[in-house]
Amino acid sequence: MKTRNFKLIILEVLGAALLLLFATPFFVVLINASKNAVEVKDFPLSLPDKPLQLFLNIAEVFGRDNINYLSSFLNSIIITTISLIAIGVFSAMAAWVLVRTKKTYSFVIFMIFLSGMVLPFQVVMLPLVRLMKTLKDITGIPFKDTYHGIILAYIGFGAPLSVFLFHGFIKSIPMDIEEAAIIDGCSKPQVFFKIILPILKPIFVTLLVLNGMWIWNDYLLPLLVLGTGGDIQTLPLSVAFLAGNYEKEWSLILTSVLMAAAPVVILFLFAQKHIIKGMTSGAIK
Amino acid sequence: MRNFGNKLLYFLISFIIILILPFILIIRIFEKIIKKDILVFDKNKERTPVGRFIHDKWLGESYSAQNNRVFVYFLFPSFGAFLLFVALPFLQGFYFSLTDWTGLNTGSEKFVRFDNYISIFKDYKFGYSFYRTAIYAIFNIILINVVAFSLASLVTQNLKGKNFYRAGFFMPNLIGGLVLGYIWKFIFDKVLFSFGGMFAPSLLIDGQSAFIALLVVVTWQYAGYIMMIYIAAIQNIPQDLIEASQIDGANAWQRLKNITMPLVAQAFTVAMFLTLVTAFKQFDTVVSLTQGGPATLLPEVIGSIYNRSFAVVKSLDLISINIYDEAFTYNSLGIGQAKAILFFIILLAIALIQVYYNKKREVEL
């Protein structure tokens, strides 16, 4: 019994030490974001003299006109939220009709969706940028550097995985519920929005997490569709722009890094269970 | 034959109607707003076979017509976006990879058959970047899986702070690769640098050490995520199996080797697949960490294939970085697209082989 306790204590210490090691980069960011330029350069590891410098740095990041941090923060929120809801609802709609229509063509469409999961973004990106220009020439509607352009692209790229997960889940929902609703006088769209969509909630949350992490942190797609220095910027673009232009001003870069990471980390602290469950169950399926 | 002709005719009609349906939806919504029917289909009217088909299957009020309409309306948004922004560019990409498309001649490029592919096979830089990516992927898979599995074994013990540890190990994964890269660039360039010794000059300056630095960063980032997959698998192992082995006198190592490992094989497949794919797609972390990496000498292995004894390449010029540079720095989008297609084929082949072999090893409970 005694050796067992001893072993557990060793493991506990090991766990704590590893946790500390994993957390060190976060602390480094936090303490250095609260220093002025000189302190960062000379003593990167010492604790900040005046922790309130953090707010001065934040003000400084907000203040630089050519970065427009506030607007890119808002843009990130707008793009992520709209894309998430659109991917979720539209994919669920598609998955539902694909499951409930037992025909060859619905199977073929499902397979086309699935094949999208194996496509790496790199193989699509160059023609995509060109297509967006062509579409503008044909229809007169700009797609590059617009909200709808990037959101539609996210719907397209997010659809395969989301349709796949919804498809698997909807198959397990008994048909009887829907038939009962139709007998009670629901139209088909009502059946979906009033009955099926609420049942899909757990998988919906999973997808919010999976797609949310991806879209919030995505760099390459916004870089191609929105471009650096365009009207609409997302957080990763702004951080890259700032780091590229003020290469030596580490206190500013780290402050912007902190501000980009903080929303996700705070969200994680509140919705830990959902996020971990969402990200892992999505991967295993 | 006549039957086939009919089917084809009905298929074409259906296709045309699918294109018209959105407009009909708009009219229906409009009808609701002004509370007056504009489009009315008389149920009892005499129709030709084609007219009857259109009425019964698409536009009328019959159950199957409603079903068909809902099918189109519900599928349209996501499938449309998918076809337009994923499938269409993907198919176009095959054609573009056969043209001399550059940033300047977009729209007037010429068809050059397989010239782009031939020039890629002669390009030692692409050979190097493939070699580098393969090595990186191998190290990446081994390191991340070993670290993740060890962490998972640790936090599935009966520890007091295990939930706390799990959350902590998982945390780096929340932050995007780009932002992460800047954090670590600061750590390598300033924090570790201030220790001196082997850390000064910065690890990111030399080709080999930058490679190691990148491995450290991605392991830190990704191990927590893979750990979660292993945790789920380890927790699924039936407790009685472990108890039975304890009664039989198996020690910890034997338990790990004979019970845990075979039973988490499925998670192992998933984890291998994920680490492999992310390693090949690695882009943003490298961009922010080193902008593609310090200059380094072309390794002899690659040099001898291309008959080049002395050449300088970028150390961390991984495939996706190479494609991006080719397309946007050198403006040869046609060659870039050809590289992307090669990349896709290689990735697909490796992933399929890997999943196939791992599936064979899995144990069914």
Side-chain angles (χ1 to χ4, degrees):
Chain A
M1 209 54 216
K2 206 159 195 189
T3 50
R4 187 151 176 77
N5 272 334
F6 183 67
K7 207 181 104 195
L8 274 184
I9 289 170
I10 297 257
L11 288 177
E12 196 87 48
V13 171
L14 185 67
L18 282 171
L19 182 68
L20 207 64
L21 190 71
F22 265 72
T24 312
F26 291 108
F27 289 124
V28 168
V29 172
L30 193 60
I31 59 175
N32 283 294
S34 331
K35 292 177 191 169
N36 63 31
V38 182
E39 272 183 288
V40 171
K41 199 161 145 268
D42 295 342
F43 316 101
L45 265 186
S46 62
L47 286 173
D49 278 348
K50 299 182 218 93
L52 291 181
Q53 175 76 26
L54 176 63
F55 296 103
L56 291 180
N57 284 342
I58 291 178
E60 174 87 38
V61 171
F62 275 127
R64 302 252 163 143
D65 294 344
N66 50 356
I67 310 166
N68 240 331
Y69 207 86
L70 190 62
S71 94
S72 66
F73 186 76
L74 292 176
N75 284 329
S76 263
I77 290 181
I78 292 171
I79 290 172
T80 312
T81 331
I82 299 182
S83 309
L84 280 182
I85 294 170
I87 295 177
V89 174
F90 291 156
S91 307
M93 281 160 54
W96 181 61
V97 291
L98 286 178
V99 173
R100 293 305 185 216
T101 312
K102 292 188 174 60
K103 293 274 171 53
T104 326
Y105 55 80
S106 65
F107 179 73
V108 171
I109 292 173
F110 182 55
M111 280 298 139
I112 295 175
F113 265 129
L114 280 198
S115 61
M117 290 207 311
V118 295
L119 288 185
F121 180 65
Q122 277 80 5
V123 74
V124 184
M125 66 181 186
L126 304 179
L128 176 71
V129 174
R130 181 179 169 150
L131 181 73
M132 287 189 158
K133 280 195 195 116
T134 320
L135 281 177
K136 192 192 168 185
D137 293 343
I138 297 173
T139 62
I141 307 166
F143 281 89
K144 278 196 81 174
D145 216 353
T146 57
Y147 289 115
H148 59 264
I150 192 162
I151 288 170
L152 279 174
Y154 275 130
I155 295 175
F157 284 101
L161 179 70
S162 312
V163 169
F164 174 63
L165 290 180
F166 279 130
H167 197 273
F169 195 86
I170 292 172
K171 261 195 273 182
S172 66
I173 301 176
M175 197 60 188
D176 306 357
I177 305 177
E178 290 175 32
E179 278 160 5
I182 287 178
I183 290 169
D184 288 349
C186 268
S187 69
K188 273 212 106 182
Q190 280 176 333
V191 171
F192 177 76
F193 286 108
K194 293 202 169 143
I195 299 182
I196 302 298
L197 206 55
I199 301 178
L200 293 177
K201 207 175 129 200
I203 204 89
F204 205 93
V205 174
T206 301
L207 280 167
L208 282 187
V209 172
L210 270 181
N211 291 329
M213 286 294 145
W214 159 53
I215 295 173
W216 182 264
N217 291 325
D218 196 17
Y219 174 62
L220 196 48
L221 182 68
L223 177 67
L224 294 173
V225 177
L226 303 177
T228 32
D231 290 340
I232 303 171
Q233 295 283 289
T234 61
L235 271 183
L237 289 179
S238 277
V239 173
F241 188 76
L242 186 136
N245 280 315
Y246 305 102
E247 215 174 308
K248 293 285 177 288
E249 294 188 57
W250 274 113
S251 59
L252 279 195
I253 298 174
L254 290 175
T255 310
S256 74
V257 161
L258 185 72
M259 285 156 67
V264 197
V265 173
I266 292 170
L267 191 71
F268 176 69
L269 295 179
F270 283 109
Q272 221 189 86
K273 232 193 226 158
H274 285 298
I275 290 180
I276 290 179
K277 205 175 132 245
M279 288 192 79
T280 44
S281 68
I284 290 169
K285 272 171 194 145
Chain B
M1 201 54 217
R2 180 137 175 260
N3 197 5
F4 177 75
N6 269 342
K7 270 197 172 162
L8 191 72
L9 176 69
Y10 286 140
F11 179 76
L12 285 178
I13 292 170
S14 301
F15 187 76
I16 294 165
I17 289 174
I18 287 171
L19 295 182
I20 302 171
L21 271 182
F23 300 103
I24 292 183
L25 182 66
I26 293 169
I27 294 173
R28 293 282 181 223
I29 292 169
F30 192 62
E31 279 177 352
K32 283 245 167 78
I33 294 170
I34 61 168
K35 290 187 179 141
K36 204 169 154 197
D37 290 345
I38 302 169
L39 280 178
V40 186
F41 298 102
D42 184 5
K43 213 190 283 177
N44 303 319
K45 203 177 136 197
E46 286 278 321
R47 290 174 208 276
T48 56
V50 170
R52 208 158 53 225
F53 172 78
I54 295 177
H55 180 266
D56 289 354
K57 289 289 173 193
W58 288 106
L59 301 182
E61 293 304 314
S62 69
Y63 182 69
S64 91
Q66 282 187 21
N67 254 353
N68 283 342
R69 283 203 301 266
V70 169
F71 184 81
V72 173
Y73 291 145
F74 272 33
L75 200 57
F76 178 72
S78 57
F79 197 53
F82 176 76
L83 285 184
L84 185 61
F85 286 124
V86 182
L88 181 65
F90 174 67
L91 296 177
Q92 282 183 317
F94 282 102
Y95 170 71
F96 292 144
S97 75
L98 304 174
T99 64
D100 63 348
W101 178 25
T102 63
L104 297 174
N105 70 356
T106 307
S108 60
E109 66 276 340
K110 281 197 286 294
F111 189 68
V112 293
R113 287 203 295 275
F114 290 97
D115 287 7
N116 288 336
Y117 290 93
I118 294 167
S119 76
I120 290 170
F121 284 116
K122 285 183 189 154
D123 178 11
Y124 68 91
K125 281 189 182 156
F126 189 71
Y128 170 76
S129 90
F130 179 66
Y131 160 85
R132 196 34 131 190
T133 312
I135 293 188
Y136 168 70
I138 293 168
F139 275 101
N140 200 19
I141 290 172
I142 296 173
L143 257 177
I144 291 179
N145 280 293
V146 168
V147 172
F149 189 77
S150 318
L151 290 179
S153 317
L154 180 72
V155 295
T156 43
Q157 304 288 333
N158 193 16
L159 300 183
K160 282 214 176 63
K162 64 180 174 188
N163 288 329
F164 200 54
Y165 302 146
R166 282 180 201 185
F169 296 146
F170 185 78
M171 199 92 104
N173 198 5
L174 299 168
I175 300 170
L178 184 96
V179 169
L180 243 160
Y182 288 120
I183 298 178
W184 280 88
K185 191 177 155 81
F186 177 74
I187 292 177
F188 287 123
D189 281 356
K190 295 278 176 247
V191 180
L192 289 178
F193 185 84
S194 69
F195 286 128
M198 62 176 281
F199 296 114
S202 160
L203 288 182
L204 298 177
I205 289 195
D206 173 65
Q208 280 306 323
S209 60
F211 180 68
I212 294 166
L214 177 65
L215 283 175
V216 171
V217 177
V218 289
T219 309
W220 178 75
Q221 178 194 10
Y222 219 57
Y225 180 39
I226 302 296
M227 172 193 79
M228 287 296 174
I229 292 172
Y230 284 129
I231 289 177
I234 291 176
Q235 281 172 342
N236 271 338
I237 297 175
Q239 203 55 43
D240 40 339
L241 275 179
I242 295 182
E243 277 162 21
S245 70
Q246 276 169 339
I247 292 168
D248 289 347
N251 61 29
W253 168 244
Q254 282 169 327
R255 268 210 310 278
L256 182 72
K257 189 168 146 267
N258 295 324
I259 294 179
T260 312
M261 292 285 235
L263 287 180
V264 299
Q266 201 193 354
F268 196 67
T269 310
V270 175
M272 283 262 279
F273 179 77
L274 283 175
T275 39
L276 179 87
V277 172
T278 44
F280 267 87
K281 287 190 195 168
Q282 182 58 263
F283 181 78
D284 11 2
T285 311
V286 184
V287 167
S288 54
L289 198 62
T290 64
Q291 277 92 41
T296 186
L297 281 180
L298 188 68
E300 269 177 44
V301 199
I302 302 300
S304 61
I305 298 174
Y306 291 93
N307 273 328
R308 275 188 167 263
S309 51
F310 182 84
V312 177
V313 282
K314 276 161 51 178
S315 162
L316 290 180
D317 195 15
L318 303 179
I319 292 188
S320 39
I321 305 261
N322 190 292
I323 294 172
Y324 185 87
D325 274 350
E326 185 71 58
F328 295 109
T329 313
Y330 303 111
N331 246 332
S332 340
L333 291 121
I335 299 182
Q337 182 58 29
K339 283 182 174 178
I341 284 174
L342 277 183
F343 166 62
F344 165 61
I345 293 169
I346 294 167
L347 186 62
L348 192 64
I350 297 178
L352 286 179
I353 294 169
Q354 184 257 328
V355 169
Y356 175 74
Y357 273 98
N358 275 342
K359 279 272 177 215
K360 281 205 333 202
R361 288 189 301 106
E362 279 171 22
V363 182
E364 288 288 330
L365 252 187

